[in-house]
Amino acid sequence: MATPHAIEEVELRGHIIDSLLLPKVLDAITAGGAAFTIKQVAIGNGRHDPSYALLEVTAPTQAVLDAVLAQVSDHGAVPTSAADCTLVAVDMDGVFPEGFYSSTNQKTELRLGGKWLPVADQEMDCGVVVDPDTNAARCVPMADVRVGQQVVVGHAGVRVFPLERIDAGHAFAFMNSPVSTEKPKRVVVQQVARELFSNRNGTGKSLLVGGPAIVHTGSGPLVSELIRRGYLDKLFAGNALATHDIEQSFFGTSLGVHLSDAHLAEAGHEHHLRAINRVRRAGSIRAAVESGLIKSGIMHDCVKHNVQFLLAGSIRDDGPLPDVVTDALEAQAQMRAAVRDVTFCLMVATTLHSVAVGNLLPAWVKVVCVDINPSTVIKLSDRGSFQTVGLVTDVEPFFRSLLAELDALEKDA
Amino acid sequence: MPTPRILMCPPDYFGIEYEINPWMNVAVDADHALANSQWRGLHDLLVDSGATIELMAPVKGLPDLVFTANAGLIYQDRVLLSRFHHTQRQGETPHDRAWFEAAGFEVVDDPQVSAGAFEGAGDALFCGDTLLAGYRQRSDALFHQAIGALLGVRVLPVELVDARYYHLDTCFCPLAPDEAVWFPAAFDRYGQEAIAAAVPKLISVERGEAQRFACNAVVVGRRVVTNTGCPKLHAELARRGYEPHETPLDEFVKAGGSAKCLTLRLDGEEAAGWRAPPSAAP
């Protein structure tokens, strides 16, 4: 099968199983020289309940596709793009109408009044709300939808523009290789360096999503250097990264282990609680920095260099630090607002935060995921963030290499 | 058992004035006097079978108004009005609507359903609780999907592959909720399988008798009325306990119609699973 050049979605509804219309349509697609993917099938529960199928039809040329579509339309299979989208009013706050269109992170358009309109705030796993006065459409998460808002239902009148996929085979082959060569890693590190360099000198924004292993592995000073040199605009993390970073600043330890010599400190297990306690007494991380209580570290440099940070809480947090947003929906909302202008996202040594942020980003934001655990990268790809480039490596060597590449770029500039 | 009620339209203006199916040939016009005589023969036979005939006034310029089966699909006290495929027949719709409304039917013609053509009981027949619906010649599969939603019934669209059998009622005739007469070659493989799965007992007619419109039969109780020239079907019907009758209808075959096309059962076909006493007397 040649690479498809033409693609269309069609839907079929009614008693398509008993009448054999579904197999007939599938056979007609194949006989016409096209191929199909069944994207959705919902089979009616009872004898009188209709069924529904959403098919993706691909063909080598538009002419072949058109001929196939004409054939299957006689059997009741209609392109979803041929009609205006269907709008249904929300009848309960925080609840979409049944059958709502569930968004992807790909560029999306709606057909309204015969015209195609862009959807704003592109994000996966949301509904699409249309303002009837302006016909503006945007993605809205379930929790934020309000009574009376008009939500797109079904797939008719919706079209998606998938990004061309990165050659995932190569990346996966690389990650699955038992022996990693230096060259592929360096290429990725160089790419990251170029993105950060370009954003620092341009209008793009770079976001770091970081896990506490950054501090545990002794990479804190390296991230601080990135911040001081202006390469990071935003930081998303949890209570843990900030806590261990501040602990290191106060006690020279992370989880009670001296980072200078890897020895366990006397009563070191208490250090993270004491660090949290001091910051709580000071009122906030910023206050602790400004009063001189915190003198170094990632959080210190975020405050000093105006890097916006967002700490999202979890059930297992100690304390937490006063700056941690403990309301999950509030954290989500703040993240959503903060990623609006992000063009490059570096995810390091955190699985849950990476997946969460990956869900919020539109497909065109470049993402690099660095983790010693390949399953983190796989999760992001499987979840739909397939624009992610993965790097399976330890954190500290990564940051050290990154700074070296940035040094080279600055020298050449 | 309520009295069967059948709508017919006298053939005062019947004729072959256009060609919209392979049977029609404007060079071979209908014999007006003979057509009237044949129509009267069918009418009287149905009255003798215990049916009450209700009449629609014929309209000059609408030669096919005589084929009342195409006016709409009856479902309880509702009628789903036809949306004729050919412009030559579209002028019938206002007259059909007026008749149904005067007779007390709720006329269903949802403007929200914009999809396609539909030719009434010509293309949609209940067998049990399933509505079998012919498509591709005159009616559209998309409209059949809409019927399922509008009426809340199970609809099996089946493709008609031979232009001579352009309506379902020319090649499929429900006799009882679990039994029907059919001409398999008029359907594609999928349609044949769907019908065989949906209808437990099927009587196949041979090609020669199909061309005599054997499947275009009117069923009143156990009595089955067809055009002449269908002896094999009649023998099989008798074997199964039905009471076959014939009456010549060759003038209407010239227009591609026969006994069933000339009638519309108002209180529900014998085979219709929904059939119940009318909820409101006209």
Side-chain angles (χ1 to χ4, degrees), chain A residues 39-373:
Chain A
K39 301 188 78 174
Q40 271 186 45
V41 173
I43 297 178
N45 294 319
R47 184 172 164 86
H48 288 87
D49 297 325
S51 301
Y52 172 83
L54 179 66
L55 314 174
E56 183 180 85
V57 184
T58 55
T61 67
Q62 187 65 42
V64 169
L65 179 63
D66 289 344
V68 167
L69 292 181
Q71 172 82 3
V72 300
S73 71
D74 281 350
H75 307 309
V78 293
T80 57
S81 59
D84 275 8
C85 62
T86 304
L87 300 178
V88 174
V90 173
D91 59 343
M92 187 183 294
D93 282 354
V95 180
F96 290 129
E98 189 66 25
F100 69 97
Y101 173 77
S102 178
S103 64
T104 71
N105 60 359
Q106 309 288 353
K107 182 188 174 211
T108 304
E109 288 184 350
L110 298 183
R111 182 176 146 138
L112 274 168
K115 296 175 188 168
W116 288 100
L117 306 167
V119 174
D121 303 337
Q122 196 65 55
E123 179 181 337
M124 67 172 75
D125 300 336
C126 295
V128 177
V129 168
V130 178
D131 182 336
D133 297 325
T134 63
N135 268 4
R138 64 191 176 96
C139 292
V140 174
M142 182 180 290
D144 295 345
V145 80
R146 294 292 170 259
V147 169
Q149 286 180 320
Q150 295 285 317
V151 170
V152 177
V153 171
H155 288 80
V158 181
R159 66 183 181 187
V160 172
F161 298 85
L163 290 189
E164 189 167 317
R165 282 179 181 248
I166 294 167
D167 179 7
H170 173 72
F172 279 98
F174 160 52
M175 283 190 293
N176 288 329
S177 172
V179 179
S180 305
T181 64
E182 188 64 29
K183 184 170 170 53
K185 266 190 265 191
R186 185 168 183 203
V187 168
V188 175
V189 176
Q190 286 176 341
Q191 288 172 7
V192 174
R194 276 196 290 273
E195 291 291 338
L196 294 175
F197 187 77
S198 169
N199 277 0
R200 188 188 72 166
N201 297 335
T203 59
K205 298 293 186 191
S206 300
L207 163 67
L208 173 66
V209 181
I214 290 175
V215 180
H216 301 331
T217 58
S219 308
L222 303 175
V223 172
S224 284
E225 185 173 345
L226 285 172
I227 292 169
R228 290 198 299 273
R229 290 165 67 173
Y231 285 113
L232 294 180
D233 300 291
K234 302 176 192 230
L235 171 69
F236 287 176
N239 191 52
L241 180 142
T243 295
H244 299 313
D245 175 64
I246 294 167
E247 177 190 341
Q248 181 180 3
S249 174
F250 286 158
F251 303 107
T253 61
S254 177
L255 281 178
V257 177
H258 283 295
L259 295 175
S260 57
D261 58 16
H263 286 158
L264 187 62
E266 184 76 22
H269 63 279
E270 301 169 358
H271 286 177
H272 71 291
L273 278 183
R274 298 193 186 287
I276 293 172
N277 197 53
R278 289 181 186 178
V279 177
R280 287 176 69 93
R281 185 181 300 281
S284 70
I285 292 172
R286 174 172 294 275
V289 169
E290 288 170 349
S291 74
L293 182 63
I294 301 177
K295 295 183 169 61
S296 65
I298 294 172
M299 304 315 298
H300 170 271
D301 292 334
C302 282
V303 172
K304 290 297 188 183
H305 292 86
N306 294 313
V307 169
Q308 176 187 0
F309 63 85
L310 175 55
L311 306 176
S314 85
I315 290 171
R316 57 177 171 70
D317 283 347
D318 292 311
L321 291 166
D323 309 70
V324 169
V325 181
T326 57
D327 181 324
L329 289 181
E330 177 56 29
Q332 203 183 95
Q334 290 189 26
M335 283 180 170
R336 233 171 229 124
V339 300
R340 283 284 144 74
D341 54 355
V342 167
T343 55
F344 179 71
C345 182
L346 181 59
M347 300 177 172
V348 180
T350 173
T351 301
L352 297 182
H353 251 89
S354 298
V355 172
V357 176
N359 285 0
L360 298 176
L361 296 171
W364 48 91
V365 174
K366 293 167 185 154
V367 178
V368 173
C369 179
V370 181
D371 205 298
I372 197 70
N373 180 357

